[in-house]
Amino acid sequence: AWPLPLLLLLLAGPPARPAPPTCYSRMLSLGREVTGDFQSLQAAEPRDPCVRYLPRLYLDIHNYCVLAKLRDFVASPQCWKMAQVDALKDKVRKLYTIMNFYCRRDLVFLSDDCNALEYPNPVTTALPNHQS
């Protein structure tokens, strides 16, 4: 009875390997990671003066202003006592380098709304009125 499952397994072939990350997917995932890490840092240390005065990091890699936003964040004063901020700045530097040097041809800017990176629109999960 067990040869049939073995035969099916052999006919299925080797397990499929996931596609390697593309430059674009790497920028997208690192941008989300940086935004999430920044929000976690703000939640964990909301009263620390260093964290309070850091430039906001709500990243959209399709917004042309993101490059200036990344530069401003890296150039902001150091938080010498906060390893979390140093690690976040390292990720921001990495994202800037990837976007500006390695993946420049893969990136398409869809807007240049710098205000959207300061005060992002909240993401809603509700359906529009005509679809509920």
Side-chain angles (χ1 to χ4, degrees), residues 24-77:
Y24 176 76
S25 67
R26 180 65 181 131
M27 286 186 292
L28 200 56
S29 67
L30 191 54
R32 287 181 186 143
E33 190 177 325
V34 165
T35 298
D37 288 355
F38 179 72
Q39 290 171 343
S40 296
L41 179 66
Q42 280 188 317
E45 303 290 340
R47 299 207 191 286
D48 191 296
C50 172
V51 173
R52 194 173 32 210
Y53 295 113
L54 285 171
R56 295 176 186 218
L57 272 184
Y58 302 105
L59 302 182
D60 174 6
I61 66 165
H62 301 104
N63 186 331
Y64 183 73
C65 296
V66 75
L67 294 172
K69 175 63 75 179
L70 295 172
R71 281 192 310 267
D72 289 349
F73 188 83
V74 171
S76 64

Side-chain angles (χ1 to χ4, degrees), residues 24-132:
Y24 176 76
S25 67
R26 180 65 181 131
M27 286 186 292
L28 200 56
S29 67
L30 191 54
R32 287 181 186 143
E33 190 177 325
V34 165
T35 298
D37 288 355
F38 179 72
Q39 290 171 343
S40 296
L41 179 66
Q42 280 188 317
E45 303 290 340
R47 299 207 191 286
D48 191 296
C50 172
V51 173
R52 194 173 32 210
Y53 295 113
L54 285 171
R56 295 176 186 218
L57 272 184
Y58 302 105
L59 302 182
D60 174 6
I61 66 165
H62 301 104
N63 186 331
Y64 183 73
C65 296
V66 75
L67 294 172
K69 175 63 75 179
L70 295 172
R71 281 192 310 267
D72 289 349
F73 188 83
V74 171
S76 64
Q78 294 291 328
C79 298
W80 298 109
K81 62 182 179 174
M82 297 203 66
Q84 289 172 301
V85 174
D86 290 338
L88 183 57
K89 284 188 177 194
D90 286 343
K91 282 185 186 180
V92 168
R93 271 187 214 96
K94 183 187 295 184
L95 179 59
Y96 181 81
T97 301
I98 290 170
M99 289 179 76
N100 214 26
F101 298 105
Y102 298 111
C103 301
R104 179 174 274 206
R105 294 178 307 189
D106 295 347
L107 190 56
V108 174
F109 295 114
L110 303 175
S111 76
D112 61 354
D113 183 2
C114 297
N115 222 16
L117 296 178
E118 288 295 319
Y119 305 101
N121 292 330
V123 177
T124 60
T125 56
L127 293 173
N129 289 336
H130 66 278
Q131 292 183 358
S132 32

